Amino acid sequence: MKVEKCRHIVKCDSSGCRHLAKYYISTRGFIRNEFAFCEECLKSLYEELAKLFVPKAVESHFKPNRAISRRKNEK
């Protein structure tokens, strides 16, 4: 999936929205390849997706020595 700027003048695909689309999301679907959204609808879509998917913290490559030593003592 990619989000790109619209090159053509199209209407927003959200139901009830009559604005012109500024961005489109391209998909590799069988029936339809692009969904066009105006800036307001894309922001609201982003906010709703952010409620569902929370990014996880990245594990550190550098661990404190005491955490490693505790593991050795447990074995």
Side-chain angles (χ1 to χ4, degrees):
M1 291 185 114
K2 290 183 181 180
V3 178
E4 297 180 10
K5 288 192 174 187
C6 282
R7 291 176 238 154
H8 308 289
I9 298 174
V10 292
K11 188 178 150 189
C12 181
D13 286 336
S14 295
S15 61
C17 183
R18 295 185 179 190
H19 294 108
L20 293 177
K22 290 187 178 181
Y23 302 98
Y24 70 90
I25 299 174
S26 62
T27 60
R28 295 181 184 175
F30 178 70
I31 297 172
R32 190 166 182 182
N33 292 337
E34 298 175 353
F35 293 100
F37 294 103
C38 65
E39 193 169 350
E40 295 173 16
C41 293
L42 196 61
K43 283 182 182 179
S44 63
L45 178 67
Y46 175 75
E47 289 173 1
E48 292 299 319
L49 286 174
K51 292 177 186 177
L52 295 174
F53 302 104
V54 179
K56 295 182 181 180
V58 178
E59 290 186 19
S60 175
H61 294 288
F62 304 104
K63 296 183 180 182
N65 290 333
R66 59 186 165 163
I68 295 171
S69 64
R70 275 191 240 151
R71 289 183 187 160
K72 289 179 182 177
N73 294 335
E74 291 176 357
K75 292 181 182 179

